[in-house]
Amino acid sequence: MTPTADEDRPVTAARERQGDVAVVGLACRFPGARNVNQYWRLLTAPQPQFSTVPDSRWRSAAFLSDNLRDPASTYTDTMALLPDVGHFDAAHYGIPPRRARAMDPQHRLLIDLAREAIQDAGWEVDGFDREETSVITSLTESGYRELSTMQIRMRQLAGGEFGARAADPHWPETVRAVDGLHGTSVAGLLLNMGPNTISSVFDLHGESYALDAACSGGLMAVANAVHALRAGRTRIALAGGAQMILAPDLLVGLSRIGAVSPSGRCLPFGAGADGFVLGEGAGVLVLRPLADALAAGDRVYAVIRGVGSANDGTVQGGMHPQAAGQLRALRRAYRDAGLPPASVDYLEAHGTGTAVGDPVEVGVLRELRGERPAPAFLGAVKAVVGHSLNAAGIAGLIKTVLAVHRGVVPPQPDFEPADPATLDAARLVVATSPTPWPDSGRPRRAGVSAFGFGGTGVHLVVEECPVAQVHPAPDRDGEAQLLVLSARDRAGLARYARELAHTLTEDRRPLAAAADTLARRAPLAERLALVAQDTADAAAKLVAAAEAVEAGPPRAPRHGRGAGPASPRGSPAGAPPAPGAPPAAPGPDGLARAGVGAVAVAGWRSLLLP
């Protein structure tokens, strides 16, 4: 499609295209970032999240070797891993403990992120159209299937199916000591049960499926969601992906082809780049047609304007980047958006930091953008959180959506270009400090790429919302605000209070807007309420409240302070006092000394304030 004459005019309050899709909710977990706010802070003050594989994953020393001919070894023990991957509050979702243990941890994480993304969209209490909500996720093997079926493989080994029989007389006893499968195990072995369990937990009735496109899988899930929304097959979509690495198989396999960095660094387009650091992560976006989002008054982070995908076709090997295939995917995205490729101000590259991949990608961008285009920024999030394979595209997309929304280009850490002349020829600039988005007289616009093993590439064109948004939270500067927090337990409540204090201080969010956001949260078992005059007052009281909660003994909720866990669709059981009401009288744990109201029962656990 040829761009119309007004495609690059400044943002107005009226322009929207029928195919535009709004991002109205976000949730993520990446190394060093438990939520979207922490992720943005990490991106704007980037420090690589790379460390030695802990023995709690596997005994990495048993696989680490300088012998490149050893087919079961790796030359590095550096990765970018998520902490506490076994933690999951199954009772909160009504999932029996035995079934929860059988679920792939990737599925458990996506359930948590789906909840947080719905919450971030502001729909937790008010609800949304569950009948027309789809779930599309990118998933691949985490190693959990292999761990779950270990007893079966051991019996095969003992029976001699792979060679000589096991001669150790204690072998049968060893086999019996390994957990076997049971009636609920099969669901944990099937990738499709990730999105289908989300649909079950949240009672969603649209499409629900998993796909695997390797490193481009996360963006492919979002692209498929965009196509479904445009076609009218669904009205809302939860789209994203997850990647965990619970066994050393992938690290060993990628070491065999030399893709993993032996130095334990990831330097996309940088001097000394020698491969990527294998990572983990997950993210979920809430998507709906832009027209619907504007009509509903949703907060719109950004708009997905164009999508393009392609496969390399017949190539030698299938594991090497192909310029023609990448260029094909990118051109299709800008054709779909009805925009010239040179009209984007920022490009989030696939950027693996490999000697093979980076030059191909820069060459493709140079050809795509044509002769002497306006300069554009270039970045790649793998330098910070590693290459999360199946979730890598989601890491880049959420980064880009936040950058477009906030009008800031995040920097690359410690960057020195490998080939400055090639970047200059492509008119690409790598930011080394947080940089205000250039004022080009047109909407803030960016492109995001992901290219997968096997040759499938995806590119998305992302743009700021074309309509100036006025959010419903009133401006009540100078008025006291009631902040109500809740969590499943006291420890979570204390963490939540500290995170909120940090968010208010760092982001300088208006206190009235924060109070409005918190009021849209369904409550959990432990609740904290405080009245604050301004952001500084709120931060101080939240920190003091966190200390008081941590110091206070556990206690049962007082009579009349709420009911049991609320339905995700229901209203809070015990409504908080009206804004501006004085704090409750001091309780036995002294919480009111910090300006804190009563602790009560019911609702969600969350550490995220959008």
Side-chain angles (χ1 to χ4, degrees):
M1 174 167 44
T2 302
T4 59
D6 65 347
E7 289 292 1
D8 286 332
R9 288 180 183 170
V11 176
T12 69
R15 190 197 62 77
E16 65 186 69
R17 299 189 327 145
Q18 186 175 3
D20 288 352
V21 170
V23 180
V24 299
L26 295 172
C28 69
R29 295 275 197 288
F30 291 105
R34 287 184 53 85
N35 56 50
V36 170
N37 288 323
Q38 291 184 9
Y39 190 45
W40 180 249
R41 291 181 207 130
L42 176 63
L43 294 172
T44 51
Q47 294 294 324
Q49 300 297 300
F50 309 149
S51 60
T52 302
V53 178
D55 285 347
S56 57
R57 285 298 179 98
W58 60 78
R59 295 179 182 175
S60 59
F63 297 92
L64 191 62
S65 173
D66 293 330
N67 181 4
L68 299 181
R69 295 188 176 184
D70 181 355
S73 72
T74 175
Y75 48 76
T76 181
D77 60 355
T78 300
M79 294 179 67
L81 299 174
L82 295 172
D84 304 324
V85 295
H87 175 73
F88 179 65
D89 194 350
H92 176 64
Y93 299 107
I95 299 174
R98 193 179 191 191
R99 181 187 169 200
R101 285 194 298 272
M103 293 169 62
D104 189 323
Q106 294 180 139
H107 301 178
R108 304 177 205 158
L109 178 55
L110 284 172
I111 292 170
D112 273 338
L113 293 182
R115 171 185 57 80
E116 291 182 13
I118 291 168
Q119 187 180 64
D120 186 49
W123 299 345
E124 187 178 32
V125 171
D126 296 338
F128 57 99
D129 186 358
R130 297 168 189 266
E131 183 70 22
E132 297 289 343
T133 297
S134 296
V135 183
I136 305 172
T137 63
S138 174
L139 282 168
T140 191
E141 299 295 341
S142 65
Y144 200 65
R145 179 200 296 261
E146 286 74 13
L147 296 174
S148 299
T149 57
M150 183 70 70
Q151 190 182 85
I152 297 173
R153 299 288 88 76
M154 292 175 74
R155 286 195 176 188
Q156 288 183 294
L157 284 168
E161 291 187 33
F162 305 116
R165 292 173 178 269
D168 188 336
H170 298 292
W171 184 256
E173 181 181 346
T174 302
V175 172
R176 288 192 296 271
V178 176
D179 288 342
L181 299 180
H182 52 76
T184 60
S185 297
V186 174
L189 307 181
L190 304 174
L191 296 179
N192 73 292
M193 289 306 296
N196 286 334
T197 302
I198 292 172
S199 295
S200 175
V201 167
F202 298 102
D203 193 26
L204 310 178
H205 300 278
E207 301 173 2
S208 187
Y209 63 90
L211 59 85
D212 182 359
C215 315
S216 61
L219 286 195
M220 184 61 79
V222 174
N224 280 14
V226 169
H227 292 315
L229 289 164
R230 288 176 173 178
R233 301 200 312 266
T234 190
R235 301 305 303 165
I236 295 169
L238 306 182
Q243 180 72 64
M244 289 185 185
I245 302 166
L246 307 176
D249 307 30
L250 270 174
L251 184 61
V252 170
L254 291 168
S255 295
R256 294 302 90 210
I257 62 174
V260 180
S261 167
S263 66
R265 303 175 300 165
C266 187
L267 304 171
F269 314 108
D274 59 358
F276 58 78
V277 174
L278 196 56
E280 295 182 316
V284 172
L285 293 81
V286 181
L287 308 173
R288 73 187 311 183
L290 176 60
D292 290 359
L294 295 177
D298 293 330
R299 179 267 323 277
V300 177
Y301 280 107
V303 175
I304 297 175
R305 175 100 184 243
V307 298
S309 58
N311 190 271
D312 292 339
T314 302
V315 297
Q316 294 296 321
M319 299 289 281
H320 297 285
Q322 301 293 314
Q326 294 184 13
L327 190 59
R328 190 176 290 114
L330 270 65
R331 282 177 170 163
R332 287 174 179 174
Y334 291 98
R335 184 179 65 206
D336 181 56
L339 293 168
S343 69
V344 299
D345 306 302
Y346 173 74
L347 288 157
E348 174 66 19
H350 187 55
T352 54
T354 59
V356 175
D358 288 359
V360 170
E361 190 166 9
V362 172
V364 165
L365 292 174
R366 180 180 179 181
E367 183 174 353
L368 174 79
R369 286 163 47 76
E371 294 297 324
R372 303 302 298 172
F377 286 98
L378 177 71
V381 76
K382 293 177 181 64
V384 181
V385 296
H387 189 353
S388 52
L389 301 178
N390 196 56
I394 291 295
L397 178 58
I398 292 179
K399 170 189 173 182
T400 305
V401 165
L402 292 173
V404 167
H405 180 62
R406 292 174 177 260
V408 175
V409 176
Q412 291 292 110
D414 302 326
F415 182 77
E416 180 183 346
D419 189 353
T422 301
L423 289 177
D424 289 345
R427 304 277 285 170
L428 296 172
V429 179
V430 176
T432 55
S433 62
T435 304
W437 202 279
D439 184 4
S440 61
R442 62 178 177 241
R444 294 192 290 268
R445 192 176 294 148
V448 188
S449 292
F451 306 115
F453 286 142
T456 294
V458 183
H459 188 80
L460 301 184
V461 182
V462 178
E463 187 176 279
E464 72 172 304
C465 182
V467 176
Q469 294 181 275
V470 179
H471 299 300
D475 183 4
R476 299 188 295 261
D477 290 340
E479 295 182 20
Q481 301 297 322
L482 176 70
L483 306 181
V484 180
L485 295 73
S486 70
R488 287 281 291 175
D489 52 40
R490 296 175 69 92
L493 190 63
R495 288 194 302 271
Y496 189 7
R498 292 185 189 280
E499 171 63 17
L500 178 56
H502 189 61
T503 298
L504 290 171
T505 302
E506 290 293 317
D507 295 352
R508 299 180 181 178
R509 183 180 175 86
L511 190 60
D516 181 73
T517 296
L518 293 171
R520 296 171 184 269
R521 302 279 169 87
L524 263 178
E526 297 287 345
R527 187 185 304 170
L528 170 67
L530 62 84
V531 175
Q533 296 295 326
D534 53 35
T535 298
D537 184 39
K541 287 179 176 177
L542 285 163
V543 171
E547 294 172 353
V549 169
E550 289 169 335
R555 61 186 175 84
R558 294 191 291 274
H559 178 70
R561 296 287 187 186
S567 163
R569 290 186 256 176
S571 299
D589 52 10
L591 291 180
R593 287 199 298 272
V596 180
V599 172
V601 194
W604 288 118
R605 171 178 58 91
S606 176
L607 300 178
L608 173 65
L609 176 71

